[in-house]
Amino acid sequence: MNERNRSEEYWLAKARAGRIPVHVGIIMDGNGRWAQSRGLKRHEGHRAGVQTIRRCIPAVLELGIRHCTLFVFSTENWKRPQEEIQFLFKLILDYCRDHKDELIENGVQVVPIGRWRELPASVVRAVESVVRDTTDGSRLQLHLAINYGGRQEILDAAVELAKRLVSAGQVDFEHVTQEDFAGCLYTKGVPDPDLIIRTSGEKRLSNFLLWQGAYAELVFTDVLWPDFGPVDLYKSVVEYSSRSRRFGDVTEKRG
Ligand code: IPE
Ligand code: IPE
Ligand code: MG
């Protein structure tokens, strides 16, 4: 059979037979183009994109991936029309409220990253509520990057580290390590992403996990986010598994 027409079970088995990333980051792109190609408003693409998230979480769990970071709203997305921004905020609110039970049933713990507290109060409350109610989720940490920007995160970490050093009376800057710095990032304690997937054919990071993604394997797919599904996720993991990760060394390293 042609590889393209293989079933979901085939791709799941193939992905499982290889190396499974501990942490996968996803730049969910192409909602607007998906809608426009159907003669719909961009909003409809975002709405469909939420369904993709719901469809993909069980697939992430099937693979035993422990951390998944979804790029939900970037610090640059404030440049969009007000109406679109407000719609995106409403979708975040609705997702946190309406699908909380599904997240709990699936053993998912929601962990937001970014300057999400700067969103409207109703959205902040909905995020806080899903965070509070999913703290027992032990199968998957779902990191939602909301009002997230990698440069902002690095700047915030630099300020945080400086504050810590000053308050500890430490002026001996030479001994500051990368671990000290990483401990001030939004993602402190979370392993770096092994794999970053971007949909919609764009081949850039757009300010996503700049520090953490230093050695991530990048997989770009032309599939638009609303069309993405378990098979695309499994294929991305198969692709990841085929890469030789050397981390600067001359021989392949596990991980
Ligand atoms: C991704 O889809 C969703 C967000 C960035 C919030 P886009 O809205 O960027 O879709 P395109 O890139 O315009 O098709
Ligand atoms: C990246 O997508 C941000 C999110 C997916 C939330 P964008 O569509 O905003 O990125 P650019 O503008 O194409 O770089
Ligand atoms: Mg886009």
Side-chain angles (χ1 to χ4, degrees):
M1 195 200 279
N2 181 325
E3 281 266 287
R4 279 175 55 164
N5 302 325
R6 298 277 192 178
S7 68
E8 188 171 319
E9 290 69 34
Y10 168 85
W11 286 106
L12 172 60
K14 191 159 170 147
R16 277 190 174 145
R19 200 175 46 202
I20 302 293
V22 174
H23 182 174
V24 177
I26 308 182
I27 303 172
M28 309 181 289
D29 199 11
N31 294 350
R33 278 163 283 168
W34 181 89
Q36 277 157 352
S37 73
R38 284 168 171 69
L40 302 170
K41 292 261 166 48
R42 292 177 57 83
H43 293 174
E44 295 306 326
H46 296 314
R47 207 194 297 279
V50 174
Q51 298 312 314
T52 303
I53 296 173
R54 296 184 62 207
R55 205 166 53 235
C56 286
I57 288 176
V60 168
L61 291 165
E62 281 287 347
L63 289 177
I65 291 166
R66 303 306 301 265
H67 297 270
C68 179
T69 302
L70 300 179
F71 204 178
V72 175
F73 188 86
S74 79
T75 47
E76 287 67 41
N77 288 149
W78 291 99
K79 294 174 190 159
R80 297 188 178 205
Q82 256 310 311
E83 199 200 343
E84 180 166 347
I85 294 172
Q86 293 310 320
F87 189 83
L88 287 167
F89 291 168
K90 174 84 169 66
L91 278 185
I92 296 170
L93 192 158
D94 290 350
Y95 176 76
C96 292
R97 188 190 53 202
D98 300 342
H99 304 303
K100 188 193 285 180
D101 291 347
E102 185 176 280
L103 291 162
I104 294 169
E105 276 159 32
N106 282 325
V108 178
Q109 179 185 13
V110 174
V111 184
I113 58 167
R115 292 187 152 213
W116 57 278
R117 289 184 188 280
E118 293 172 5
L119 264 56
S122 57
V123 186
V124 172
R125 277 198 299 275
V127 174
E128 282 171 344
S129 167
V130 77
V131 168
R132 202 170 44 240
D133 294 346
T134 60
T135 42
D136 291 339
S138 59
R139 293 180 73 199
L140 169 70
Q141 274 195 3
L142 184 67
H143 308 273
L144 299 180
I146 307 173
N147 195 15
Y148 172 87
R151 287 183 171 180
Q152 187 66 60
E153 179 182 30
I154 289 169
L155 181 59
D156 286 348
V159 171
E160 172 66 21
L161 182 60
K163 281 185 188 163
R164 286 186 194 180
L165 293 175
V166 168
S167 70
Q170 194 185 328
V171 283
D172 174 14
F173 300 132
E174 270 93 278
H175 293 103
V176 173
T177 64
Q178 292 191 21
E179 286 70 29
D180 294 333
F181 190 81
C184 295
L185 293 167
Y186 306 148
T187 54
K188 55 181 161 290
V190 177
D192 287 340
D194 304 291
L195 165 63
I196 293 178
I197 301 168
R198 182 171 188 148
T199 57
S200 89
E202 308 297 353
K203 296 180 179 64
R204 55 177 171 265
L205 288 174
S206 300
N207 210 6
F208 185 58
L209 299 179
L210 296 184
W211 171 284
Q212 301 87 336
Y215 262 105
E217 295 299 326
L218 308 179
V219 170
F220 299 107
T221 167
D222 287 338
V223 176
L224 302 173
W225 180 248
D227 289 329
F228 194 87
V231 168
D232 302 295
L233 178 78
Y234 301 150
K235 284 181 180 171
S236 303
V237 169
V238 169
E239 164 76 32
Y240 162 79
S241 207
S242 74
R243 305 272 178 90
S244 171
R245 303 187 81 194
R246 292 185 293 278
F247 299 94
D249 205 338
V250 288
T251 52
E252 185 169 344
K253 302 281 164 243
R254 295 301 298 172

